[in-house]
Amino acid sequence: MRDRLRAWLRTRKPASLRTAFALTFAAGAAAVTVLVGFLSYDAAARLVRVDEKSVFSEVVRDLRTQVQEKPFRPSDYVTADPDHDGPRDDLTRPTRTDVQILGAGGRIVDLGRPPLPAGAGERRIATEGDAGRYTQREADVGDDKYHVATVALGGGRGAVQVAQKFSETEDLLAALQQRTALLAAAVIALAGAAGWWLARRITGRLIRLTSVAESVAEHGRLDVPVPVAGRDEVARLGRAFDDMLGRLANSVEDQQRLVQDAGHELRTPLTSLRTNISLLKRFDELPPDARDELLADLAGEARELTDLVNELVGLAAGQRDDDPLCEVRLADVAEKAAASARRRTGREITVRTVRPAEVEGRPAALHRALTNLLENAAKFDAGGTGPIEVRVTGTRIEVLDRGPGIAESDLTRVFDRFYRAPAARGLPGSGLGLAIVRDIATAHGGHAFVSRRPGGGAVLGFTVGRGRSGPSGTETGD
């Protein structure tokens, strides 16, 4: 049995959000309606019953006062006075009260309409010597229920019975109860319909957004239109989902371009390696100079291939995202990167902070970007006519060298992946270092820039956050 229940729960189609919302709305309305209806009916019924009982109690009290003030006989109550000012008229005029008269010994002198019950208790009251003694009870008369009170006339002369029918009131309250139940049912039905309509309006965009997400998951297409309308949370979710799809599409496009570019760049060292390896079969036949050249060529190609693979792995793995965001002083990043580059290159590197700034960023990624710029400057400024300079101006970092500079035609492409300027194709490198700089700057809300330095050399750098630069890239020094 338990296995069947689990199987049913697994195969059972889950209730939609629209249905759940409508049922919740209807349940809430039902609870409120039932509570209000019950309290209203209870209060009304209590007021009616208390009022009816108080009226009857007042009639009994008036009758007791009446018989205590004057010694009435049973005959005084038998018929109504023609002028309607007799004692019986005083009882029946203010209320719908039925009267029945008992004589001495408890015998019925005048039947009420309808006849009222006269049992042992009532006959005993009729024989009482004290006027105003009474007994009271509820009795069934035919199909109706009555409040019946019997008041002694005193001296054993008899008693007067007064009765008030309360079954009509109960019938009226039962009808009120039925109408209250019908009204509550109608309110619940209307609340369910209103909840369904409201749920359709609220969940309609969610359902369309879910359909888009399921389509993306099923077909893998990222160029599907996302329904975005309004300014509420659902609209924000739609815009966030649309932005996520756009970023994912760009990421997939970048990956595809990276794979294509990497495949193209890997062919050259691999072809060279394959050619040199084929020459190894005749290694013993080669002269010593040719052997040394072949081994040097193999070592260079292997080193270049290793560098290229390392850069590809770093670029594809997105190492900059492993670092947590924190407050970073760009001047500190520049000092550490400069110290590291001095040890590796042996070049003189100076750091000048024009305006210090703290930014929110990833320290390791920013360090890597600046190190790539410094190694690039050291590679091209091999002559070393002057120190390589690092300048920090607010959220802007610049690296200035006195190398051969960059041709005007290459300024717009130096940050492209695998791009190698014609003058740099004989130098070591993978063509990915500056592309990584650009990606890190973009990830930090900034951009990379390049310009030619007056007097010779180049200026390369990047901004973090909302840094601004001129069309040519930077403010430069001589």
Side-chain angles (χ1 to χ4, degrees):
M1 182 67 182
R2 185 178 296 176
D3 294 338
R4 290 183 180 178
L5 179 60
R6 289 176 179 175
W8 178 79
L9 288 174
R10 284 194 299 268
T11 58
R12 177 176 174 268
K13 184 178 179 181
S16 66
L17 182 61
R18 180 182 300 175
T19 302
F21 189 88
L23 290 177
T24 303
F25 194 85
V32 173
T33 303
V34 169
L35 180 62
V36 171
F38 171 77
L39 293 178
S40 300
Y41 170 78
D42 183 69
R46 190 184 301 273
L47 286 174
V48 170
R49 290 187 179 115
V50 168
D51 182 67
E52 185 179 65
K53 190 174 181 179
S54 65
V55 169
F56 185 68
S57 297
E58 186 176 350
V59 170
V60 174
R61 186 169 57 252
D62 291 344
L63 176 59
R64 292 180 64 198
T65 302
Q66 192 179 65
V67 299
Q68 288 173 346
E69 290 178 349
K70 184 178 180 181
F72 285 100
R73 298 184 300 276
S75 58
D76 294 329
Y77 287 93
V78 170
T79 57
D81 187 91
D83 296 331
H84 299 289
D85 57 358
R88 182 168 184 151
D89 294 316
D90 292 339
L91 295 177
T92 59
R93 184 167 46 243
T95 61
R96 295 179 293 106
T97 306
D98 295 317
V99 179
Q100 181 171 281
I101 309 302
L102 301 180
R107 60 186 181 83
I108 299 176
V109 176
D110 185 23
L111 282 173
R113 298 178 183 83
L116 302 178
E122 284 79 11
R123 287 194 296 271
R124 180 178 57 80
I125 289 296
T127 62
E128 283 285 343
D130 296 332
R133 298 290 296 273
Y134 77 102
T135 183
Q136 185 173 330
R137 67 186 175 107
E138 293 180 359
D140 293 331
V141 180
D143 296 332
D144 298 321
K145 293 182 180 296
Y146 281 78
H147 294 295
V148 180
T150 305
V151 179
L153 294 175
R157 291 189 300 273
V160 177
Q161 287 184 293
V162 290
Q164 184 184 52
K165 183 167 62 174
F166 66 87
S167 58
E168 289 182 353
T169 303
E170 295 299 324
D171 292 341
L172 177 63
L173 292 177
L176 176 62
Q177 185 180 35
Q178 183 179 8
R179 291 186 180 183
T180 301
L182 291 175
L183 179 61
V187 170
I188 292 171
L190 289 175
W196 182 262
W197 174 80
L198 187 61
R200 285 192 62 183
R201 288 184 59 87
I202 293 176
T203 62
R205 288 177 293 164
L206 280 177
I207 292 173
R208 290 193 293 271
L209 193 58
T210 303
S211 299
V212 171
E214 290 175 344
S215 175
V216 171
E218 181 179 358
H219 303 293
R221 292 188 56 187
L222 303 176
D223 57 346
V224 293
V226 178
V228 178
R231 301 178 62 183
D232 55 7
E233 287 79 2
V234 178
R236 289 169 53 193
L237 176 62
R239 282 190 287 270
F241 186 68
D242 188 37
D243 184 60
M244 181 186 69
L245 286 183
R247 290 176 180 269
L248 187 58
N250 291 336
S251 177
V252 170
E253 184 180 351
D254 288 343
Q255 288 180 358
Q256 292 174 346
R257 187 168 61 250
L258 176 62
V259 170
Q260 293 172 357
D261 294 343
H264 179 268
E265 291 297 323
L266 286 171
R267 288 192 189 97
T268 300
L270 287 175
T271 301
S272 179
L273 281 173
R274 200 162 37 243
T275 301
N276 290 331
I277 289 172
S278 65
L279 289 176
L280 287 176
K281 297 178 181 179
R282 299 185 294 110
F283 188 75
D284 294 337
E285 303 174 7
L286 298 176
D289 293 341
R291 292 178 185 179
D292 294 340
E293 184 180 353
L294 176 61
L295 292 176
D297 198 14
L298 282 171
E301 293 293 344
R303 184 169 55 253
E304 183 177 348
L305 185 60
T306 301
D307 293 341
L308 179 59
V309 170
N310 289 337
E311 293 289 357
L312 284 173
V313 170
L315 193 62
Q319 293 176 354
R320 62 183 181 274
D321 291 335
D322 297 337
D323 225 7
L325 284 170
C326 63
E327 292 295 322
V328 182
R329 287 176 54 88
L330 292 182
D332 294 343
V333 173
E335 292 289 352
K336 292 178 182 178
S340 176
R342 289 189 196 102
R343 289 193 300 269
R344 285 199 297 266
T345 65
R347 292 294 306 275
E348 181 184 357
I349 300 174
T350 62
V351 177
R352 185 160 68 98
T353 302
V354 178
R355 187 173 68 252
E358 286 191 3
V359 297
E360 185 178 359
R362 296 183 170 88
L366 294 172
H367 181 275
R368 184 182 184 191
L370 186 52
T371 299
N372 284 0
L373 290 176
L374 290 171
E375 290 180 351
N376 180 80
K379 179 173 65 177
F380 285 96
D381 190 7
T385 58
I388 298 173
E389 299 178 27
V390 178
R391 181 183 299 167
V392 180
T393 308
T395 58
R396 182 187 187 87
I397 297 181
E398 301 167 314
V399 174
L400 303 89
D401 63 60
R402 285 299 183 185
I406 301 175
E408 188 72 32
S409 58
D410 295 329
L411 287 176
T412 59
R413 302 190 59 189
V414 293
F415 292 105
D416 293 345
R417 290 174 182 172
F418 303 108
Y419 178 73
R420 305 287 296 278
R425 288 174 186 169
L427 297 174
S430 63
L432 287 174
L434 295 183
I436 292 174
V437 173
R438 180 192 61 188
D439 289 350
I440 292 175
T442 302
H444 283 76
H447 64 277
F449 55 83
V450 59
S451 66
R452 291 187 291 179
R453 186 181 183 187
V459 180
L460 289 92
F462 60 91
T463 62
V464 180
R466 297 185 177 277
R468 296 184 178 180
S469 63
S472 63
T474 79
E475 62 182 67
T476 62
D478 49 19

